[in-house]
Amino acid sequence: MTTPYQQPAQGTQPPAPPQPPQQPGVQAPQGAPQQAPQQQAPHQQAPQPQQQAPQQPGQAPQQQAHYQQAQAPQAHQPGAQAPQGAPQQGYAAGPVAGYTSPIPIRRTHLGHAIASEWTKIKSVRSTIWTLSVMVALVVGIGLLVAGGTNDSDYSSTPTTIPGLFGTLLGQLCIVTLGVLVVSSEYGTGMIRTTFTASPQRSRVLTAKALVFFAVSFVTTTIALALVAWMSSGMHSGPGVQEPTSKQMMGATLGAGLYVSLLGLLSLAVGSMLRHSAGAITTMLGVVLLPAILPAFLMMSSSLQTLGEKMQKYSSPQSLAALFQIDDELGTGWSQLGVLAGITFAALVAAYALLEKRDV
């Protein structure tokens, strides 16, 4: 028998302090020794919770309680953030109510597309070079012809004739520019960016056509008016036929409209073919072949009528009629109407193919 002041014998352990009974659903504090669950008496039964987690073999009651605590839904407090990795439940998605974007939102229209195409056409070098060469040909050749003729040469023809010779070559520059307005974007791949910014493809083609037609018409008409004015100033006097208002209109507005429609036809062909070299070659054939083939067709009696019609509506003959060189050629407005009809049909085909095909 030992007293309370005596040390326990060597090899024996002091009795463990009594542990309070652990209630189900309460997790033991961290660092505390894990106690084995005590077996309940047969006549005692633990109270059943309303919802029990599925028990796995060999799982301790503390782990079951922890599982129940993890599965229990937590009330979401305003301003609280979901823990990282936890499922996003109870958090509102979307923008915060009352937020206003600082970027102005407005519907796009044709004016925006026209502004974009105007920026493009004035930014590339091909536009400046092509229009410069066209003006140099029309004005330069026109002044050379006007300077190399006398007053007696204009006794039966108006003084606006010198502008015709420069226009026959200058129209090829407008044809080339009309093709490049569309085909250059396909060649560089920028057409994808254009259609991404403006998904309505018909609006893009309309803006290109309007901007190109306005630029070509204004530039060509100004060049022709300059040649007509300078030629009239160089040849004025008795015996010189002064151009009438109809002749002046046909030599300036009419010829400028004809060349611009020819360039618009080139734009439609470029949109359909989507290749610069192929479209330019096609348009050169459209311009040159009707002026060359009639000479061979009229050699045959059966094809003579076809040759005469083709020659009448060829580009050189149409421009000569607009300048009113001879009364037998007419005023040239019928040739202008035929070209307008062909250009309209080509534009309709270009719109249809643009909406049907991929970029």
Side-chain angles (χ1 to χ4, degrees), residues 128-152:
I128 304 300
W129 281 102
T130 306
L131 293 179
S132 299
V133 171
M134 188 272 298
V135 172
L137 289 174
V138 173
V139 176
I141 296 177
L143 292 181
L144 287 176
V145 173
T149 55
N150 300 321
D151 294 347
S152 60

Side-chain angles (χ1 to χ4, degrees), residues 171-189:
Q171 65 180 347
L172 300 180
C173 299
I174 299 297
V175 166
T176 304
L177 181 60
V179 171
L180 293 178
V181 166
V182 178
S183 61
S184 60
E185 289 197 48
Y186 280 100
T188 58

Side-chain angles (χ1 to χ4, degrees), residues 165-305:
F165 301 96
T167 309
L168 292 175
L169 292 177
Q171 65 180 347
L172 300 180
C173 299
I174 299 297
V175 166
T176 304
L177 181 60
V179 171
L180 293 178
V181 166
V182 178
S183 61
S184 60
E185 289 197 48
Y186 280 100
T188 58
M190 284 298 296
I191 195 66
R192 299 184 181 90
T193 306
T194 301
F195 286 154
T196 301
S198 180
Q200 296 184 358
R201 300 183 179 184
S202 59
R203 179 186 296 176
V204 174
L205 186 58
T206 302
K208 286 181 180 294
L210 292 177
V211 171
F212 168 76
F213 183 80
V215 170
S216 60
F217 177 72
V218 171
T219 307
T220 306
T221 304
I222 290 176
L224 290 171
L226 182 61
V227 173
W229 176 73
M230 297 183 70
S231 178
S232 298
M234 294 171 64
H235 301 284
S236 61
V240 177
Q241 181 182 352
E242 295 293 336
T244 62
S245 58
K246 291 183 178 180
Q247 291 175 341
M248 183 64 73
M249 184 178 296
T252 55
L253 295 177
L257 184 59
Y258 185 90
V259 174
S260 301
L261 285 175
L262 200 60
L264 197 59
L265 176 61
S266 305
L267 186 145
V269 173
S271 177
M272 289 186 288
L273 299 183
R274 302 187 297 181
H275 192 271
S276 300
I280 292 175
T281 304
T282 302
M283 286 307 302
L284 289 178
V286 171
V287 174
L288 299 178
L289 284 180
I292 300 174
L293 284 180
F296 300 95
L297 295 177
M298 286 187 294
M299 296 173 63
S300 174
S301 58
S302 59
L303 299 176
Q304 185 175 2
T305 305

Side-chain angles (χ1 to χ4, degrees), residues 50-101:
Q50 294 180 359
Q51 294 182 356
Q52 291 185 355
Q55 183 176 1
Q56 299 180 0
Q59 188 177 21
Q62 292 85 355
Q63 297 179 356
Q64 296 181 14
H66 180 70
Y67 179 80
Q68 293 176 358
Q69 185 178 3
Q71 294 295 331
Q74 298 181 358
H76 174 63
Q77 299 179 359
Q81 296 182 356
Q84 186 176 4
Q88 300 291 336
Q89 295 181 358
Y91 292 89
V96 182
Y99 173 76
T100 303
S101 174

